[in-house]
């Protein structure tokens, strides 16, 4: 096995296009290139390439995971992650309503905050309202719609790229300056790791980041995921009200449509859940390894491809793309309802307003950390 990591270019006016590529001497119909790394559409180019005999191919672009594909030998398998049209690039990801957070990191606080308000240290803060009466995924211009700097690229046994963003005091209504870093790495041939951290510089602030890829292990153009099977290592959920805000209770999933403690198809009971699954699971029963808990196992309909997710976060939003309806994505594919599955490890939704939930407050000088490990098999 040979690994090679090539880096050219640098930060492109705060915007980096990074490709972590698995390639060999074969024709790649995805990019129409033969055994060479893919360059960005900007100049100068900024790309990474990784050469192995078989494994993962990942495109990480402006801090979002736009493409992910596995290879068997030199044979490419279908892309697993949904995204926007390659020709459209940056604009749809930044425009309201064009992309339902495909592949991005959301924050400053992922998920919903009730009425877009919270009180911290005696001060009431009002956030941007962008989801009914609530604030969702950081507001109108959350971390998914900003440009991240590429601050570090490593040519080592386990290649990686690190993005950084400075969220300023008052941005979308949040208090204090926050420095966020996100590092994507390939620690194994078929493993993708994401390490997120954030430091509050001068004020206490809520922080809860999440990675929002829509997974379809049968291929992003294969239709709905209702025949996918999933197991979730959570015996409880945080039930929600009519505005998808947790009520504050912790509800056992046993004998309910939310029980995925044993593997079964996503669509088996989805009609018993109004609108589909969009709920936070309490990750309370998974095995642990290297400080991470087993959160979920997702399989394609034939069972031939598997994603195992590990994390150190207390919760995971299981979302079945209920609001994706007629969005034109990569290669002109039109994504409809339930065509992807999101496994968003996170702090509990609206935790800033629920004292019985694990705290998401980061004090000045403290560091927030959140790791996700994606293990693929085919």
């Amino acid at each position: 096995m040979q690994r090679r990591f090539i880096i050219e270019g640098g930060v492109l006016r705060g915007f980096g296009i990074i490709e972590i590529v698995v390639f060999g001497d074969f024709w790649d119909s995805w990019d129409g290139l033969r055994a060479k790394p893919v360059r960005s559409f900007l100049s100068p180019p900024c790309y990474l390439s990784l050469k192995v005999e078989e494994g993962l191919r990942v495109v990480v672009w402006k801090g979002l995971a736009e493409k992910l594909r596995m290879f068997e030998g030199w044979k490419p398998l279908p892309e697993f992650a949904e995204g926007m049209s390659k020709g459209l690039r940056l604009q749809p990801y930044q425009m309201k309503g064009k992309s339902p957070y495909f592949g991005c990191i959301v924050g400053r606080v992922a998920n919903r905050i009730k009425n877009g308000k919270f009180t911290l240290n005696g001060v009431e803060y009002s956030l941007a309202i962008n989801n009914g009466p609530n604030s969702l995924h950081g507001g109108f211009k959350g971390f998914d719609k900003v440009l991240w700097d590429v601050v570090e690229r490593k040519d080592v046994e386990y290649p990686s790229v690190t993005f950084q963003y400075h969220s300023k005091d008052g941005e979308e209504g949040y208090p204090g300056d926050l420095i966020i870093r996100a590092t994507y790495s390939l620690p194994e041939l078929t493993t993708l790791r994401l390490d997120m951290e954030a430091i509050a510089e001068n004020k206490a602030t809520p922080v809860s980041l999440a990675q929002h890829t829509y997974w379809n292990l049968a291929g992003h153009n294969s239709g709905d995921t209702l025949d996918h099977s999933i197991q979730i290592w959570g015996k409880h959920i945080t039930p929600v009200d009519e505005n998808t805000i947790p009520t504050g209770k912790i509800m056992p999933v046993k004998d309910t449509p939310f029980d995925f403690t044993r593997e079964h198809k996503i669509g088996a009971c989805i009609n018993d859940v109004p609108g589909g699954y969009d709920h936070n699971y309490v990750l309370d029963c998974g095995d642990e390894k290297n400080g991470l808990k087993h959160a979920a196992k997702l399989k394609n309909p034939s069972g031939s491809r598997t994603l195992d997710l590990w994390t150190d976060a207390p919760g995971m939003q299981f979302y079945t793309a209920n609001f994706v309806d007629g969005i034109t994505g990569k290669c002109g594919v039109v994504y409809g309802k339930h065509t992807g599955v999101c496994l968003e490890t996170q702090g509990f939704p609206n935790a800033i307003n629920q004292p019985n939930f694990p705290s998401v407050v980061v004090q000045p000088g403290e560091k927030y950390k959140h790791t996700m490990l994606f293990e693929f098999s085919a």
Side-chain angles (χ1 to χ4, degrees), residues 319-331:
Y319 174 54
T320 49
N322 311 320
F323 302 106
V324 175
D325 185 16
I327 295 176
T328 301
K330 295 184 292 189
C331 305

Side-chain angles (χ1 to χ4, degrees), residues 287-309:
D287 293 337
E288 292 193 21
K289 68 174 182 180
N290 301 322
L292 302 179
K293 296 175 292 186
H294 205 174
K297 179 190 290 286
L298 182 68
K299 292 183 179 180
N300 71 336
S302 68
S304 61
R305 298 177 198 134
T306 301
L307 163 59
D308 279 281
L309 175 60

Side-chain angles (χ1 to χ4, degrees), residues 127-148:
L127 310 175
I129 304 298
N130 63 333
N131 181 253
N134 308 312
S135 183
L136 174 69
H137 292 332
F140 287 114
K141 193 175 182 181
F143 294 170
D144 61 299
K145 294 180 177 64
V146 300
L147 304 183
W148 297 58

Side-chain angles (χ1 to χ4, degrees), residues 96-327:
K96 180 184 176 183
K98 291 293 184 181
S99 170
Y101 307 98
F102 283 138
C104 63
I105 293 172
V106 295
R108 180 175 304 193
V109 174
N111 219 297
R112 295 166 179 87
I113 293 180
K114 185 176 182 178
N115 297 326
K117 294 183 181 294
F118 65 90
T119 299
L120 185 58
N121 295 335
V123 179
E124 183 178 277
Y125 295 94
S126 296
L127 310 175
I129 304 298
N130 63 333
N131 181 253
N134 308 312
S135 183
L136 174 69
H137 292 332
F140 287 114
K141 193 175 182 181
F143 294 170
D144 61 299
K145 294 180 177 64
V146 300
L147 304 183
W148 297 58
D149 292 334
V150 179
V151 294
E152 187 175 41
R153 303 170 296 268
K154 291 184 177 179
D155 179 7
V156 292
E157 183 180 3
Y158 305 121
S160 68
V161 56
T162 299
F163 295 87
Q164 180 171 292
Y165 177 65
H166 179 186
S167 178
K168 295 183 179 179
D169 184 21
E171 187 174 305
E172 296 296 300
Y174 287 96
D177 289 270
L178 189 72
I179 304 298
I180 309 100
R181 285 197 169 197
T183 299
Y184 288 90
S185 61
L186 298 181
E188 301 292 342
L189 292 183
T190 57
T191 301
L192 171 66
R193 181 182 176 111
L194 172 59
D195 293 287
M196 296 173 278
E197 62 182 45
I199 297 177
E201 291 203 317
N202 42 39
K203 293 181 182 179
T205 184
V207 181
S208 178
L209 307 179
Q211 213 282 344
H212 207 290
T213 292
Y214 288 73
W215 301 104
N216 188 328
L217 299 186
H220 78 107
N221 59 348
S222 64
D224 70 54
T225 55
L226 298 181
D227 283 336
H228 277 54
S229 297
I230 193 168
Q231 183 174 4
I232 299 174
W233 278 271
K235 294 182 178 180
H236 301 80
I237 63 166
T238 52
V240 296
D241 64 16
E242 66 277 6
N243 293 315
T244 325
I245 292 292
T247 62
K249 297 180 180 179
I250 305 294
M251 185 187 86
V253 300
K254 187 177 180 179
D255 298 324
T256 76
F258 301 98
D259 190 353
F260 289 94
T261 53
R262 292 187 178 182
E263 177 187 316
H264 62 83
K265 288 187 177 182
I266 291 172
C269 298
I270 197 169
N271 291 332
D272 297 325
V273 180
Y277 294 102
D278 191 8
H279 296 78
N280 175 62
Y281 279 73
V282 180
L283 300 177
D284 55 7
C285 60
D287 293 337
E288 292 193 21
K289 68 174 182 180
N290 301 322
L292 302 179
K293 296 175 292 186
H294 205 174
K297 179 190 290 286
L298 182 68
K299 292 183 179 180
N300 71 336
S302 68
S304 61
R305 298 177 198 134
T306 301
L307 163 59
D308 279 281
L309 175 60
W310 301 74
T311 187
D312 55 2
M316 184 190 76
Q317 193 80 5
F318 175 46
Y319 174 54
T320 49
N322 311 320
F323 302 106
V324 175
D325 185 16
I327 295 176

